[in-house]
Structures are given as structure tokens and as C-alpha cells.
Amino acid sequence: MFKFIVGVLASACLCSVSLAETSENQYFKIDLTDEWTEQSMNSQPGADVALYVNTKDGSYVTIAVVENGMDAKTAGEQTMTNMKNKGFSVEEMQQKEGYYEAPFNNEQIKGVYYFCDNGKQFSAINVIGNDLESGKNFIKSIQPKDSKLFPKF
């Protein structure tokens, strides 16, 4: 009977431990926690896009890496102009250490874009949701294969 009880307790402990899932492409790797899930990852010639959703607060992070030689500033200016034309309130893009940051919002959502480049590709990483800090923390946990494509917070 004692062995049976110990076996049941051991099984319960093993069942409560969750294994982290890894999400990876040619630009980065991330070990997902229970809080974050990969919604999609698409790769096509010239662009890779990944979408992650926070299962607790509903925020999400989109990571796009585009191969066209555009620099981060130009990519950011064009993206934010397009968003403004679509009715978003766009704050002035700020240059940070190695990246550009551009907050935006409308009546329904708020978010922030981070733009980076390495001379060959640029990345456009955005966080949308009520808790932008959770998305920023998610980005901090990314293991980049080229650190120039990701903001250094």
C-alpha cells in the first residue's frame, strides 16, 4: 500500500511539471513558458514573421525580420506613417541604444514597435496589449542569433 501511495504522489508531481516548448527560426530561439504560446510562425523568401500570445493577459508580440537592406529608422518611419494614415495615434519615434522605439494607440489598443537592423535585414517587433511590460519581458528572454536584430533593453 505504501508503494502505491508513493507511486500516486510521484505521478501527481510529474504531471504538475510542465515542459517548456521551444520556438525557433533562423533569427532567434525562445523557450516558451506556460504564459506564452506560439500562435504562428511563417517563413517565406525575404521575410520571417512569428506571433506569440500571452495566455494570461491577452497581449501579443509579433516579430518580423525582412531581408531588403532597409535600415531600422527608415522601416520605422514608413511603418509609423502607415499606422498614422490608418487612424492610429503615433508618438514620435525615439532612438535608443541600437534600436528605435515607437509607441502607438487607437481607441481599442495600445502598443509599441521596436525597429532594429544589421545592414542586411531589419526587424519590426511589436507588443500590443494592456500590459506592454509583459511583452517587453518576453522580448528580453529571446536568444537572438544576430543580436543587432533585437532591442537591448
Side-chain angles (χ1 to χ4, degrees), residues 56-80:
K56 294 191 178 173
D57 67 18
S59 62
Y60 62 91
V61 172
T62 304
I63 303 168
V65 179
V66 180
E67 295 186 39
N68 74 356
M70 188 180 296
D71 63 82
K73 183 178 182 186
T74 304
E77 290 170 344
Q78 289 182 7
T79 301
M80 301 320 286

Side-chain angles (χ1 to χ4, degrees), residues 40-61:
S40 66
M41 186 176 295
N42 298 305
S43 181
Q44 52 191 339
D48 284 70
V49 180
L51 172 64
Y52 300 92
V53 177
N54 185 307
T55 59
K56 294 191 178 173
D57 67 18
S59 62
Y60 62 91
V61 172

Side-chain angles (χ1 to χ4, degrees), residues 109-130:
I109 62 170
K110 68 178 180 175
V112 61
Y113 259 106
Y114 303 103
F115 298 96
C116 308
D117 76 83
N118 65 6
K120 295 181 278 183
Q121 297 106 359
F122 75 86
S123 64
I125 302 167
N126 76 19
V127 178
I128 295 178
N130 290 328

Side-chain angles (χ1 to χ4, degrees), residues 129-143:
N130 290 328
D131 184 4
L132 299 180
E133 198 62 32
S134 72
K136 190 173 182 178
N137 289 333
F138 177 80
I139 295 167
K140 287 179 186 178
S141 67
I142 290 173
Q143 302 159 42

Side-chain angles (χ1 to χ4, degrees), residues 5-67:
I5 293 172
V6 170
V8 169
L9 290 174
S11 295
C13 290
L14 288 174
C15 290
S16 68
V17 174
S18 63
L19 299 174
E21 186 179 331
T22 298
S23 178
E24 184 172 11
N25 67 16
Q26 64 181 335
Y27 299 105
F28 66 89
K29 176 182 173 182
I30 186 163
D31 295 322
L32 301 172
T33 63
D34 288 342
E35 196 171 299
W36 288 92
T37 183
E38 180 185 299
Q39 189 70 29
S40 66
M41 186 176 295
N42 298 305
S43 181
Q44 52 191 339
D48 284 70
V49 180
L51 172 64
Y52 300 92
V53 177
N54 185 307
T55 59
K56 294 191 178 173
D57 67 18
S59 62
Y60 62 91
V61 172
T62 304
I63 303 168
V65 179
V66 180
E67 295 186 39

